[in-house]
Amino acid sequence: MPAWMRTRCLASTALALLLGLLLSPGARAYDCPKPTQQLTQDVSTDIRSEVSGLKGLAVASFETKAATVTNDVFAKYKDAGSVALSHSMISIFCQIILPSTTLSDAEKLDRLYRLEELITRTSGQSVPMGRGSGQMCPTAPGAVLRPIQALFDAWAKLDVDEYLAQWAPDAIARSKYYVMRAADLTSRRRADFASFTSVEVRKIDPRILFADGTKARVSNVYTMHFVRRDGKVIDETNVGESYVLECDASTGTWRIRENNDYLFRG
């Protein structure tokens, strides 16, 4: 196995362990893994100094500050290796936010995913965060967009089980109204699906923005028509959203890791 692949696999395994423990009931007592040993202590210390300023920031401030920090770190240490830098930044950031008593588990996951997304944008490649992520998914448009198409097909059929099957175990759904982890999304969508007599998907326009076999980013605009059991009609017209997908190594197919809904309305 080439050295770069071993590095990626080691980083992937550590991040998978990190994410699983971060979200477990006993996560607060767990110490996050140390940054990869490929980086010197000086570099790790410098990264810690940079990312420490991200602790406790509100979402909007976090996005702005994290983007600056990510760009600065990758520019300053461009010869250190993008996988090593990515893993170290996420690992150190976890160590900083894990003890927080002001953020819920969903909010901690939200910040971790937001940082990882900024790292992907900056480095141009993703560091896998799911278990067994050595397997790569096909990047053909039909394969990448399959779970999103299936999601809207499930709405049209009011098949909540098909809908939920498109989401990864550690998925998160966000909008200006909410941040939900997978368990919350499951209970909410079961209630939502049961409340409608019919749903018409009038338009979707998913477009692939990034896909490297491990992670994909997709934008979408949808128009839907809902009829509730109490007779109320709801129309959502030209609603903008985005998705982050991750490769499910057990099946070699894409699943939804993140959904950012209601980005705009037409």
Side-chain angles (χ1 to χ4, degrees):
M1 180 184 292
W4 68 267
M5 188 176 293
R6 287 197 300 272
T7 300
R8 181 167 181 166
C9 288
L10 288 171
S12 171
T13 301
L15 279 171
L17 178 62
L18 158 65
L19 188 59
L21 288 170
L22 175 64
L23 299 177
S24 67
R28 294 181 187 276
Y30 179 74
D31 291 329
C32 294
K34 294 181 180 180
T36 174
Q37 294 182 359
Q38 282 186 289
L39 299 185
T40 66
Q41 183 61 43
D42 288 343
V43 175
S44 295
T45 300
D46 199 5
I47 292 175
R48 178 177 292 277
S49 176
E50 291 282 345
V51 303
S52 63
L54 303 177
K55 180 181 179 181
L57 293 176
V59 170
S61 300
F62 179 86
E63 289 278 345
T64 301
K65 177 67 174 177
T68 300
V69 167
T70 302
N71 285 320
D72 288 350
V73 168
F74 276 87
K76 188 173 182 179
Y77 301 111
K78 57 186 176 183
D79 296 327
S82 60
V83 172
L85 281 176
S86 300
H87 169 55
S88 294
M89 286 187 69
I90 295 172
S91 176
I92 291 171
F93 180 63
C94 170
Q95 296 175 52
I96 290 171
I97 69 166
L98 194 64
S100 173
T101 57
T102 59
L103 296 177
S104 67
D105 284 347
E107 289 171 324
K108 291 176 183 178
L109 177 62
D110 173 76
R111 301 304 192 276
L112 186 64
Y113 275 163
R114 288 180 188 274
L115 180 64
E116 192 273 343
E117 174 65 6
L118 287 164
I119 289 171
T120 298
R121 290 175 185 268
T122 301
S123 67
Q125 71 174 25
S126 57
V127 175
M129 295 186 68
R131 291 177 175 80
S133 51
Q135 182 170 343
M136 305 288 278
C137 285
T139 55
V144 175
L145 298 178
R146 181 205 58 78
I148 297 171
Q149 182 64 61
L151 200 74
F152 285 92
D153 288 345
W155 271 117
K157 295 184 294 185
L158 286 177
D159 186 340
V160 68
D161 291 325
E162 181 179 350
Y163 175 93
L164 295 172
Q166 310 313 314
W167 297 81
D170 293 321
I172 190 166
R174 313 184 187 96
S175 77
K176 59 184 178 181
Y177 308 110
Y178 56 76
V179 176
M180 296 187 294
R181 287 175 52 191
D184 304 312
L185 181 68
T186 296
S187 59
R188 176 163 176 165
R189 287 297 182 247
R190 289 197 180 278
D192 287 342
F193 274 61
S195 71
F196 297 115
T197 57
S198 67
V199 175
E200 181 182 350
V201 178
R202 293 180 172 173
K203 182 187 76 172
I204 62 171
D205 186 23
R207 301 187 181 189
I208 300 170
L209 305 176
F210 171 88
D212 69 355
T214 297
K215 174 181 173 181
R217 188 188 308 117
V218 177
S219 66
N220 184 43
V221 179
Y222 65 84
T223 295
M224 299 174 70
H225 176 78
F226 301 83
V227 180
R228 295 178 59 92
R229 294 190 179 278
D230 61 8
K232 182 178 180 179
V233 173
I234 303 170
D235 285 303
E236 297 196 334
T237 304
N238 292 327
V239 178
E241 63 174 352
S242 66
Y243 294 88
V244 174
L245 310 176
E246 65 181 9
C247 181
D248 183 341
S250 64
T251 62
T253 57
W254 295 98
R255 298 177 75 182
I256 299 168
R257 190 185 86 177
E258 303 171 50
N259 173 228
N260 297 280
D261 205 357
Y262 301 111
L263 299 177
F264 60 84
R265 291 192 180 195

